[in-house]
Amino acid sequence: MSLPFILDITIGLVFIYLILSLLASEIQELITTILQWRAVHLKKSIEILIAGDVSKSDDDNVLQLVNDLYNHPLLQSVNQEAKGFLTVLPRKFIWLLSSLLNKITPPGEKRTKSIFGYIKNGKEDVKKQKHSAPSYIPADTFAITLMDTLGLPKLVQKLTESRLINFTHQQLDEIQIILSKLEARIDKNDDYVRYFLENTHEEFNKIMDENFKLIIADFQKDKIDLSTSLNCMAKSFDKYIGCFAADMPEYELISNTLQRLKVLRADIFDDIEQTICLKGLRPNINEVVQLISVGSEIQQEFINEFQDKDSEAYQTFQYISQRLEQFSQKLPPSVVGNMVTLARRAQLKAKSTEDGVNILRREIEQTFNNSMERASGVYRRNAKGVALLIGFAIAIIANADTFHIVSRLSKDTAIRTAIVNNAGQIVETNTVQDLQRLKKATDEVLTDISLPIGWNPVNLDQQLPKANSGDNTISSIKNYLTMLAGWFISGIAISMGAPFWFDLLSKIVNVRNSGKKPPVPTPEQTSEGNNTY
């Protein structure tokens, strides 16, 4: 048996595997589309990521949080669907098939209605089933969505706002204490002194109190940041001290009061960043995340910080309290633990709260990417199992018996030559990157040649020959076992995929043709070659 003969048989066998693998790929892609396996697997992977454990991924809190993520506008924009009756009709048909199959094999008691959760329908706020979900979510989109759903950016803003209001009231109270001591100790019989004290209180209310309220209002509207707010307060304080000094009578107590005001101003506003740090006005990202952890020391300290229910700071704090109560009711403990861990890592790298938020987002992105890599491995293993089942089914339905195919190719010169010639043309004119074009080329080949597969009488007579001796039963059993083994080998081969067989076919054809054809020279190379003579 010569080497070219063996190569021709190998090319014929690999070519048949390639054709059947292309068919299997089409079937698997169709099943994947109908059942939305990619979208379903992605959502389950996110549930496991949120839960931190497969066994806890079906908890009500986990499912609710993931459904909230999927209802976020950013994720909804990733899952774009067609509009119009004719374009939506095929999608509805797929949704119907998917829902029927889910009823036959429900993915869990809590998912029998819709694995993708629910959507709220406009003004009526009526829950409806979601029929589809994105098959791919970018890491940055997931990170932003998770942080926004947890309310971390808003929590940072509100926490800073509450502390700024509290800080403002403390400074105004200190100024009033200094003025009250002056009023208590000075002689009020002097009309000029009495007028000065009245004027001082009016200017305090006008310059300090009202300006501080305007500054806080601008901060709440995001017109100014924290540093700018404190700079504006410092200017108001300077203005008040200037007015105080301009109308000040020549009294030692009043001069001492002015000095105390200047010392207070210098202590608070000379170094803005130091004040922000010492007073904790800009909370770090670790503090913000640990607020979510109900019962933590930071949360208790934060609650104790705002005791005056009549203060403006407490009213702002109410928003945060409501969020914390919601977290305690529905947020999975695993999420709290994971977020606290990521926040600590982010805080080590952060120089400010804004940096901390951005670094935390990148940490979430990295965690999501790592989780999706593991999920992709699981999906590929599951897809490989489905490919095996499809491969076995095609091998049986098409009667693709590997042993019979090799036997036919070795005996039938016409079929072998036709397959080898067509295989060479397909390898030369197609690439593995364009499977649709490759499938079209193989379909055209099938109209010209007859493959040694199928349940036709010719194949069956060769696979199951009739025995004339007394060993009819033993021979029949042997033939059937050989056929089953041939199907088994073909099923495994088909499941290996069209790219694998096309690549192998290309290598074998090149070996048969004694290597690849030399590349066609470009016009520049041709002209250079002519100039050498």
Side-chain angles (χ1 to χ4, degrees), residues 251-287:
Y251 280 88
E252 183 179 357
L253 285 176
I254 298 178
S255 298
N256 292 338
T257 301
L258 177 62
Q259 291 303 317
R260 291 191 183 95
L261 291 175
K262 289 181 178 181
V263 169
L264 178 62
R265 190 269 177 217
D267 182 51
I268 299 297
F269 296 110
D270 270 5
D271 192 336
I272 298 296
E273 288 302 320
Q274 180 179 342
T275 299
I276 292 175
C277 181
L278 293 177
K279 299 294 184 179
L281 299 182
R282 184 183 288 129
N284 61 58
I285 192 63
N286 186 36
E287 282 185 308

Side-chain angles (χ1 to χ4, degrees), residues 205-222:
N205 294 330
K206 183 177 180 181
I207 298 176
M208 296 293 292
D209 196 16
E210 293 182 6
N211 281 355
F212 276 28
K213 288 181 180 179
L214 292 175
I215 292 168
I216 291 174
D218 288 341
F219 179 81
Q220 291 173 329
K221 297 175 183 177
D222 291 331

Side-chain angles (χ1 to χ4, degrees), residues 464-530:
L464 304 171
K466 296 180 180 179
N468 297 321
S469 62
D471 297 334
N472 187 19
T473 303
I474 297 176
S475 178
S476 297
I477 293 175
K478 181 180 178 181
N479 291 333
Y480 278 112
L481 291 177
T482 303
M483 182 185 292
L484 288 174
W487 288 345
F488 182 78
I489 295 173
S490 296
I492 294 176
I494 293 169
S495 69
M496 297 179 74
F500 172 81
W501 292 116
F502 182 82
D503 185 56
L504 183 59
L505 181 63
S506 302
K507 293 178 180 178
I508 298 174
V509 169
N510 289 331
V511 171
R512 181 180 181 275
N513 296 333
S514 300
K516 296 182 179 179
K517 291 184 177 181
V520 179
T522 62
E524 292 79 3
Q525 293 172 334
T526 304
S527 61
E528 290 177 1
N530 292 335

Side-chain angles (χ1 to χ4, degrees), residues 124-144:
E124 297 179 359
D125 198 31
V126 178
K127 287 185 175 180
K128 284 191 173 183
Q129 294 183 23
K130 294 180 71 174
H131 298 286
S132 63
S135 301
Y136 169 76
I137 297 175
D140 58 340
T141 301
F142 175 81
I144 295 172

Side-chain angles (χ1 to χ4, degrees), residues 395-400 453-460 463-464 483 487:
I396 296 172
I397 294 173
N399 190 20
I453 58 176
W455 293 92
N456 55 65
V458 176
N459 290 333
L460 291 176
Q463 289 175 285
L464 304 171
M483 182 185 292
W487 288 345

